[in-house]
Amino acid sequence: MSSHPPRPFVLLNVAVTADGKIASEDHDVTTFGSPSDSHHLYELRATADAILCGARTLEATRATLGNGAEAFRRRRLRKGLREHPLRLVVSGSGSISSSAAIWSQRFSPILVLTTERSRSQWKRLRGLADDIWCLGRSTIDFRKALERLHRKHGVRRLLCEGGGELNEALIREGLVDELHITFCPFLLGGRRAPTLADGPGIPVLADAARFRLRSRRRVGPELFTVYTVVRPGR
Ligand SMILES: NC(=O)c1ccc[n+]([C@@H]2O[C@H](COP(=O)([O-])OP(=O)(O)OC[C@H]3O[C@@H](n4cnc5c(N)ncnc54)[C@H](OP(=O)(O)O)[C@@H]3O)[C@@H](O)[C@H]2O)c1
């Protein structure tokens, strides 16, 4: 049994090329998934109390982390969830642009997760977001963030939508419970295009995060997979 206080169940959703890239090197190609892949994303959003997204993804994609079609809003209400998910912006240095699209849509609260490094940005961020939480000196303590989200906002199920740097931080901390990976029929190659999990990574295989394939489904040229985490010793 875990000795940690309760935290939300964390799902991570990502579309990858055959070589595990999540965007082209210039970040210009921000999505290569089909409409079925977008639909899958909205379906997952409709099950989540909160959505977590990194600063670079919010700037590159102009995502607002909303419900999409009205049917998804109704689905949330039928399940007893809040009408819209809580929106969580990750920006350790507070560098997120004031012109990111997320700030222009006020349908649900936006919380910025940040660190001491962003102190000079707090006034600006308070003008953009509903709240900011400082969760570390230079990097965000995501376990603390998740426990606090559970306690203060009743977040039981959280969907992380990337990008690669944020994904890696959560995976390395052992905080991802379920992975949804859509394999798309492209190959970008090269060393610099962002991958599913960037950042420092896990240096040795013995310490690699482990997952078990739970389901796979082919839709047209894409493969939709779901993996469940395997905790050490299980
Ligand atoms: N194919 C897909 O499914 C998919 C999904 C999502 C994104 N993408 C693509 O991925 C690219 C962006 O990915 P990315 O890896 O460059 O960026 P990202 O993970 O979206 O954002 C990185 C930023 O988030 C903050 N951050 C992340 N981890 C942190 C930590 N542990 N502590 C503090 N701050 C942290 C930092 O912000 P500060 O710099 O402000 O400190 C960092 O610069 C875009 O091109 C996007 O289109 C693709």
Side-chain angles (χ1 to χ4, degrees), residues 10-194:
V10 176
L11 305 99
L12 194 157
N13 183 61
V14 64
V16 300
T17 60
D19 55 338
K21 308 293 190 190
I22 60 169
S24 53
E25 180 183 331
D26 60 6
H27 291 213
D28 211 25
V29 179
T30 55
T31 178
F32 37 75
S34 67
S36 301
D37 182 51
S38 306
H39 187 81
H40 179 61
L41 172 70
Y42 284 116
E43 283 192 316
L44 288 178
R45 274 190 197 169
T47 70
D49 298 299
I51 316 288
L52 182 70
C53 200
R56 298 294 85 77
T57 296
L58 288 165
E59 291 165 351
T61 64
R62 303 198 57 76
T64 59
L65 312 183
N67 285 330
E70 168 62 14
F72 292 115
R73 189 186 70 87
R74 288 201 300 271
R75 194 183 291 188
R76 296 181 65 82
L77 294 175
R78 276 200 303 279
K79 283 199 188 120
L81 297 176
R82 287 188 203 106
E83 190 175 4
H84 302 278
L86 178 65
R87 295 176 291 166
L88 309 168
V89 172
V90 176
S91 182
S93 72
S95 70
I96 177 135
S97 165
S98 301
S99 56
I102 192 164
W103 312 121
S104 65
Q105 304 282 326
R106 309 310 303 188
F107 50 80
S108 74
I110 304 173
L111 177 53
V112 175
L113 309 184
T114 191
T115 68
E116 293 284 353
R117 278 191 294 133
S118 71
R119 195 170 275 280
S120 64
Q121 298 291 331
W122 287 2
K123 191 168 173 215
R124 179 181 71 91
L125 293 173
R126 285 206 175 94
L128 294 167
D130 295 280
D131 203 356
I132 62 171
W133 286 0
C134 178
L135 293 149
R137 281 181 58 168
S138 63
T139 57
I140 292 168
D141 181 337
F142 281 108
R143 182 173 291 280
K144 195 194 276 183
L146 294 179
E147 290 168 0
R148 202 189 285 185
L149 285 162
H150 191 283
R151 196 171 63 245
K152 291 203 166 174
H153 288 278
V155 176
R156 299 292 183 267
R157 207 173 146 86
L158 179 143
L159 173 64
C160 174
E161 295 191 10
E165 192 178 330
L166 171 58
N167 292 345
E168 190 272 345
L170 291 179
I171 292 169
R172 191 165 24 88
E173 296 293 319
L175 295 171
V176 174
D177 301 296
E178 193 170 282
L179 270 177
H180 289 246
I181 307 178
T182 307
F183 291 92
C184 303
F186 298 96
L187 198 150
L188 283 160
R191 290 199 179 90
R192 284 189 291 269

